[in-house]
Amino acid sequence: MTQVLINPTPKDYKSEVKPTWCPGCGDFGVLNATYRSMANLKLSPDKTVVVSGIGCSSRFPHFIKTFGFHSVHGRALPVAQGLKMSRPDLTVVAVGGDGDFFSIGAGHLVHAALRNIDITVVVMDNEIYGLTKGQTSPTSPHGHVTKSTPYGLLASQFNPISTALSLNVSFVARGYSSKPKELATLIEQGMLHKGFSFIHVLSPCPTFYRTFDAWDAAVTPIPTNHDANDRMQAMNLAMETEKPFIGLFYQQERPTMDQAAHQLVRESKAFNVESYIKRYA
Ligand SMILES: Cc1ncc(C[n+]2csc(CCOP(=O)(O)OP(=O)(O)O)c2C)c(N)n1
Ligand code: SF4
């Protein structure tokens, strides 16, 4: 039987496992925002699944009192999509880091975008690999010096929002972990959106890279006159990387693969071979 929470508060979604992140890690803000969005939507813990890969950010499911799946590095999306295809009644959220989604798991992101399966993805981007102690990731800036790139990173920086827009992801947003209220609204909108929702979150790793100060000074709310139906307008905002915009870039309602596949199954079950033969023989 479905567990119904009457007027839940964010606390109701806290598990008994205490987060093991370093003090000051950005991921705390993302976790608080997620509790808040789940409470606002009154989600049933037993009808909600949080799936992750591997990384500091991927410890997330342990700290939430819903079903969870701490999977393999880069593989949160295959697990989450498979789950939603077989259990369309569940709210499925995939979470992890920039390494997980844009490095080892990048191929899955492309196909998930094209399928438009109704799941919500929350990427905690600290622009490095946190768990393995600070190596560069695809979102590290060009020239970034780490133990593994002592002469500076030679590759250029990946742009998650413009990539998602070019793949025509049907919901594209960016939040900031030190603005959990605004972030909670974006996660809520993403969970309500019917289709693949991509929420890029700036979430600093003060232990190995950025502190909040750098992003506090830079993040800029998306202008109120932005038309979220206009993909080209969204693309222009995405190209601004010095002062990253936060808010909803783009949203488009279109059929999802989970709905289409279940419709196909219903139609094929109703398909009558004899009447087809009579009609066309
Ligand atoms: C198949 C595989 N390759 C490499 C690793 C080592 N590894 C663990 S976490 C990680 C990257 C973590 O970075 P990110 O996904 O950005 O998460 P963060 O720790 O920064 O939150 C890597 C390379 C692994 N666990 N499995
Ligand atoms: S190493 Fe960085 S990302 Fe990992 S828990 Fe510590 S602050 Fe957070």
Side-chain angles (χ1 to χ4, degrees), residues 27 54-58 73 97-100 104 126 128-132:
D27 297 348
I54 296 292
C56 297
S57 45
S58 284
H73 193 34
D98 40 299
D100 222 85
I104 192 169
N126 53 18
I128 44 108
Y129 293 172
L131 187 73
T132 47

Side-chain angles (χ1 to χ4, degrees), residues 163-216:
T163 303
L165 289 167
S166 68
L167 291 168
N168 203 15
V169 169
S170 62
F171 181 100
V172 181
R174 182 189 281 133
Y176 178 33
S177 61
S178 90
K179 292 191 179 295
K181 210 166 147 200
E182 290 84 345
L183 177 58
T185 305
L186 293 174
I187 298 175
E188 223 175 293
Q189 287 175 303
M191 290 198 282
L192 288 173
H193 174 75
K194 290 276 164 262
F196 185 68
S197 306
F198 175 81
I199 302 161
H200 177 228
V201 186
L202 304 172
S203 182
C205 167
T207 303
F208 291 111
Y209 187 25
R210 274 187 203 273
T211 61
F212 281 94
D213 294 348
W215 271 325
D216 277 351

Side-chain angles (χ1 to χ4, degrees), residues 61-260:
H62 297 275
F63 314 137
I64 305 188
K65 211 199 280 173
T66 61
F67 282 108
F69 195 131
H70 189 176
S71 78
V72 183
H73 193 34
R75 306 294 177 245
L77 283 175
V79 175
Q81 290 173 97
L83 188 57
K84 185 67 186 182
M85 287 299 282
S86 58
R87 287 289 306 273
D89 57 314
L90 301 178
T91 299
V92 180
V93 183
V95 300
D98 40 299
D100 222 85
F101 285 104
F102 308 144
S103 203
I104 192 169
H108 296 300
L109 187 64
V110 175
H111 297 287
L114 303 180
R115 292 182 189 120
N116 195 34
I117 294 173
D118 183 17
I119 61 172
T120 301
V121 175
V122 178
V123 184
M124 284 158 267
D125 187 358
N126 53 18
E127 300 186 333
I128 44 108
Y129 293 172
L131 187 73
T132 47
K133 302 194 183 301
Q135 300 87 348
T136 59
S137 86
T139 51
S140 302
H142 177 76
H144 185 48
V145 175
T146 70
K147 278 187 188 156
S148 61
T149 53
Y151 302 104
L153 176 63
L154 300 176
S156 49
Q157 191 177 25
F158 179 80
N159 183 327
I161 298 284
S162 69
T163 303
L165 289 167
S166 68
L167 291 168
N168 203 15
V169 169
S170 62
F171 181 100
V172 181
R174 182 189 281 133
Y176 178 33
S177 61
S178 90
K179 292 191 179 295
K181 210 166 147 200
E182 290 84 345
L183 177 58
T185 305
L186 293 174
I187 298 175
E188 223 175 293
Q189 287 175 303
M191 290 198 282
L192 288 173
H193 174 75
K194 290 276 164 262
F196 185 68
S197 306
F198 175 81
I199 302 161
H200 177 228
V201 186
L202 304 172
S203 182
C205 167
T207 303
F208 291 111
Y209 187 25
R210 274 187 203 273
T211 61
F212 281 94
D213 294 348
W215 271 325
D216 277 351
V219 295
T220 310
I222 286 183
T224 47
N225 63 355
H226 170 60
D227 176 6
N229 297 309
D230 186 335
R231 193 148 66 111
M232 285 315 290
Q233 218 185 83
M235 192 58 104
N236 280 333
L237 296 177
M239 298 315 283
E240 174 55 68
T241 50
E242 291 302 310
K243 296 216 162 275
F245 284 108
I246 51 172
L248 177 62
F249 283 75
Y250 181 66
Q251 184 168 20
Q252 185 198 43
E253 292 290 341
R254 62 171 189 269
T256 68
M257 188 188 257
D258 40 311
Q259 284 167 337

